[in-house]
């Protein structure tokens, strides 16, 4: 397994281009299953999860071509199998996103149950219960979800919890249902909206985009021609590099991003003492060489503070001035990075879903283990300010969601290198 070695102590500075959003690219690639015409998608990030999604679609018989600029063309009419096998689902839970489109377009889907993962149990009951309400016949047997329907029926769905991929699965399913579907308490993450815009480009009739009530008027088919859709920028990648600059007391400008979908994160960075300036598609952060101040954070669905930025802010609080209290409300076990940071000298106390971080002047480099995607990124950030070398093991987690992280950080002046297995 590859490892990253980071030598801390450099203030980051410079400019960087932000990639397309992983969590928009994955549902949008799944949504191509709904379209009867070839579809082209641009601004695809270079990530392992994208390769896995291509494998997933490819093993169904779908034709995919990718060019050197990471534009993907998908022709779904060549499909031969309606299945997401365990081997792929176990490496990427987002594979569940093919359930809605397969069922809606082909009336049949066989998808391995994702199971739990490092950050929590992550059930899919809301996806399944809602599809049953839409008339699907669903059987869970030997670890697989087997779903069938003649045609899904539009209905009113009030989701028990705000779920991102749950909303996306139902949104995709409802586009081809008979009649109107209303999804209440829908997730309104920008990636959900990006998917909804893409579906509308293909011929879907979705209204209420960006709100928590989505109305979908079902259509017979999605068959718009010559579709090309560019994925929105990755707000979590953006936030991660902003924290990288803040934690090292540096100054960076991030381009091809969207400040308007990062309010909660930018507010907390300002509270930490960062000087932030923005344009339509760029963000600049300048710490003027100062130590960040600790901030309190409570994660919750968009537009509140994202759980996907919690670990990075934990890293920042551990070298900040003062005490910061971080409360995680979305996933029950998303503090796996804390133990590793403690090994680097961080003073963090865990009390159920709360981490109390007492800032200190410094961390010490150590060998640490990545446990999930965002936790891994936070360990890299901690390594950037630690004295000496930090060796981050199991970085396949990082490669799932960060496009060339070591090259991008090196571009900002960090001393970081990949050690191949
Ligand atoms: N939940 C249920 N039942 C369901 C679905 C969800 O109880 O049927 C619960 C979950 O257990 C969790 C909460 O609802 O406690 C929210 O989970 P959600 O379904 O929103 O998470 P997800 O859709 O599985 C997506 C992102 C995650 C991100 C979360 C929250 C993708 C592919 N993944 O996951 O991204 O943390 O939303 O914003 O979009 C990451 O990129 O590192 C990542 C984990």
């Amino acid at each position: 397994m590859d490892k990253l070695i980071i030598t801390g102590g450099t203030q980051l500075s410079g400019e960087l281009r932000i990639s397309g959003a992983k969590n928009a690219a994955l549902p949008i690639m799944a949504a191509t299953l709904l379209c009867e015409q070839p579809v082209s998608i641009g601004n695809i990030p270079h990530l392992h999860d994208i390769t896995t999604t291509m494998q997933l679609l490819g093993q169904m018989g779908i034709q995919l071509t990718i060019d050197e600029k990471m534009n993907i063309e998908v022709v779904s009419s060549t499909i031969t199998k309606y299945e997401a096998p365990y081997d792929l689902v176990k490496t990427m839970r987002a594979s569940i996103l093919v359930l809605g489109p397969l069922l809606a377009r082909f009336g049949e889907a066989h998808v391995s149950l994702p199971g739990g993962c490092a950050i929590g149990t992550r059930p899919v009951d809301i996806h399944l219960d809602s599809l049953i309400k839409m008339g699907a016949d669903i059987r869970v047997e030997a670890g697989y979800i087997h779903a069938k329907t003649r045609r899904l029926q539009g209905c009113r769905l009030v989701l028990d919890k705000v779920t991102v991929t749950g909303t996306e699965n139902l949104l995709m399913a409802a586009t081809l249902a008979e009649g109107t579907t209303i999804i209440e308490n829908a997730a309104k993450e920008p990636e959900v909206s990006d998917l909804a815009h893409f579906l509308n480009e293909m011929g879907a009739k979705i209204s209420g985009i960006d709100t928590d009530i989505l109305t979908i008027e079902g259509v017979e088919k999605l068959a718009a021609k010559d579709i090309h859709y560019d994925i929105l920028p990755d707000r979590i990648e953006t936030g991660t590099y902003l924290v990288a600059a803040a934690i090292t007391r540096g100054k960076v400008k991030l381009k091809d991003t969207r400040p308007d979908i990062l309010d909660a994160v930018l507010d907390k960075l300002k509270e930490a003492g960062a000087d932030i300036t923005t344009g339509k598609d760029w963000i600049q952060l300048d710490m003027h060489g100062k130590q960040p101040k600790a901030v309190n954070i409570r994660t919750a669905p968009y537009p509140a503070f994202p759980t996907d930025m919690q670990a990075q802010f934990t890293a920042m609080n551990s070298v900040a001035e003062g005490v910061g209290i971080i409360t995680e409300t979305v996933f029950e076990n998303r503090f796996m990075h804390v133990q590793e940071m403690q090994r680097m000298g961080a003073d963090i106390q865990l009390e159920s879903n709360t981490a109390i971080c007492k800032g200190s002047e410094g961390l010490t480099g150590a060998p640490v283990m990545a446990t999930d995607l965002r936790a891994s990124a936070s360990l890299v950030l901690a390594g950037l300010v630690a004295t000496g070398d930090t060796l981050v093991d199991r970085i396949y987690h990082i490669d799932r969601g960060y496009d060339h992280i070591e090259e991008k950080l090196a571009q900002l002046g960090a001393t970081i290198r990949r050690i191949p297995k």
Side-chain angles (χ1 to χ4, degrees):
M1 270 178 269
D2 288 7
K3 296 180 175 67
L4 283 177
I5 185 155
I6 305 125
T7 309
T10 316
Q11 270 187 11
L12 297 194
S13 74
E15 292 192 357
L16 204 62
R17 195 197 155 263
I18 292 301
S19 302
K22 166 180 86 81
N23 289 348
L26 302 181
I28 285 175
M29 286 174 76
T32 60
L33 284 166
L34 291 162
C35 194
E36 300 191 0
Q37 296 290 331
V39 177
S40 151
I41 311 166
N43 204 26
I44 294 269
H46 198 282
L47 301 174
H48 204 261
D49 273 7
I50 297 293
T51 316
T52 308
T53 307
M54 290 181 71
Q55 278 171 357
L56 179 63
L57 297 175
Q59 62 81 38
M60 289 180 197
I62 287 163
Q63 270 177 24
L64 295 128
T65 36
I66 183 157
D67 68 17
E68 68 290 347
K69 287 191 181 145
M70 290 297 284
N71 289 307
I72 294 184
E73 190 180 77
V74 188
V75 181
S76 66
S77 51
T78 54
I79 193 163
T80 51
K81 271 201 276 183
Y82 312 122
E83 188 187 334
Y86 175 66
D87 278 354
L88 291 172
V89 177
K90 76 173 183 206
T91 66
M92 190 188 67
R93 295 180 44 86
S95 309
I96 188 75
L97 286 164
V98 299
L99 176 63
L102 283 177
L103 190 59
R105 178 158 172 217
F106 305 104
E108 184 180 342
H110 308 277
V111 178
S112 172
L113 265 176
C117 74
I119 62 177
T121 49
R122 302 184 78 180
V124 289
D125 55 323
I126 299 170
H127 304 229
L128 302 189
D129 292 349
S130 306
L131 289 170
I132 291 170
K133 283 193 186 122
M134 295 176 77
D137 175 10
I138 294 189
R139 196 163 46 84
V140 177
E141 214 173 83
Y144 270 77
I145 303 161
H146 299 282
K148 275 206 156 141
T149 185
R150 222 167 48 75
R151 187 174 177 194
L152 292 171
Q153 301 297 308
C155 66
R156 178 169 167 249
L157 301 168
V158 183
L159 308 189
D160 270 358
K161 263 190 182 175
V162 178
T163 156
V164 174
T165 48
T167 302
E168 290 166 345
N169 239 336
L170 300 171
L171 188 59
M172 292 187 277
T175 57
L176 295 183
E178 189 170 4
T180 302
T181 304
I182 299 171
I183 308 176
E184 293 186 27
N185 199 26
K188 43 183 194 286
E189 267 65 6
E191 295 75 21
V192 176
S193 301
D194 207 37
L195 170 67
H197 289 301
F198 173 64
L199 291 166
N200 278 351
E201 291 264 319
M202 292 197 296
K205 292 192 174 157
I206 301 167
S207 56
I209 299 175
D210 292 335
T211 77
D212 57 6
I213 303 183
L214 293 166
T215 303
I216 308 105
E217 232 181 279
V219 295
E220 288 276 336
K221 54 183 175 183
L222 299 182
K225 288 192 180 137
D226 300 325
I227 301 283
H228 176 83
Y229 192 85
D230 284 323
I231 304 287
L232 98 162
D234 197 315
R235 66 193 164 102
I236 306 301
E237 188 197 26
T238 306
T240 303
Y241 288 112
L242 290 175
V243 175
I247 208 170
T248 60
R249 310 180 185 190
K251 176 183 176 181
V252 297
K253 182 174 181 181
L254 305 180
K255 297 185 295 187
D256 295 335
T257 186
R258 286 260 309 266
D260 60 310
I261 54 175
L262 273 148
D263 284 329
V265 171
L266 296 183
D267 283 351
K268 286 294 166 188
L269 286 166
K270 285 178 196 160
E271 210 179 305
D275 186 1
I276 304 240
T277 37
T278 59
K280 188 170 169 285
D281 62 355
W282 59 267
I283 304 174
Q284 179 171 285
L285 177 144
D286 191 349
M287 289 302 285
H288 300 291
K290 287 180 302 188
Q291 181 187 16
K293 293 191 203 78
V295 289
N296 296 336
I297 275 162
R298 185 180 177 82
T299 66
Y302 189 83
F305 190 90
T307 173
D308 290 344
M309 283 302 303
Q310 179 261 106
Q312 299 87 320
F313 271 73
T314 307
M316 189 179 76
N317 272 353
S318 69
V319 293
E321 182 194 330
V323 178
I325 297 174
I326 297 196
T327 308
E328 171 60 58
T329 76
V330 180
F331 291 112
E332 68 271 24
N333 190 27
R334 209 172 193 182
F335 277 125
M336 308 276 279
H337 43 286
V338 166
Q339 280 178 11
E340 301 300 296
M341 286 178 195
Q342 284 167 338
R343 297 184 52 252
M344 297 173 74
D347 183 349
I348 307 173
Q349 212 182 310
L350 265 188
E351 281 176 20
S352 72
N353 69 335
T354 300
I356 302 157
C357 317
K358 283 196 190 133
S360 69
E361 277 285 329
L363 298 177
T364 316
V368 288
M369 190 92 86
T371 46
D372 74 77
L373 170 56
R374 308 302 169 187
S376 325
S378 72
L379 295 174
V380 172
L381 299 186
L384 292 173
V385 269
T387 20
D389 289 348
T390 299
L391 186 71
V392 185
D393 201 350
R394 297 205 184 160
I395 58 155
Y396 57 86
H397 291 294
I398 301 198
D399 293 332
R400 289 189 39 218
Y402 286 92
D403 194 344
H404 293 97
I405 192 167
E406 72 274 25
E407 286 170 28
K408 288 192 173 187
L409 284 172
Q411 197 180 322
L412 297 175
T415 308
I416 179 168
R417 117 184 113 80
R418 181 179 291 256
I419 306 176
K421 61 185 157 216

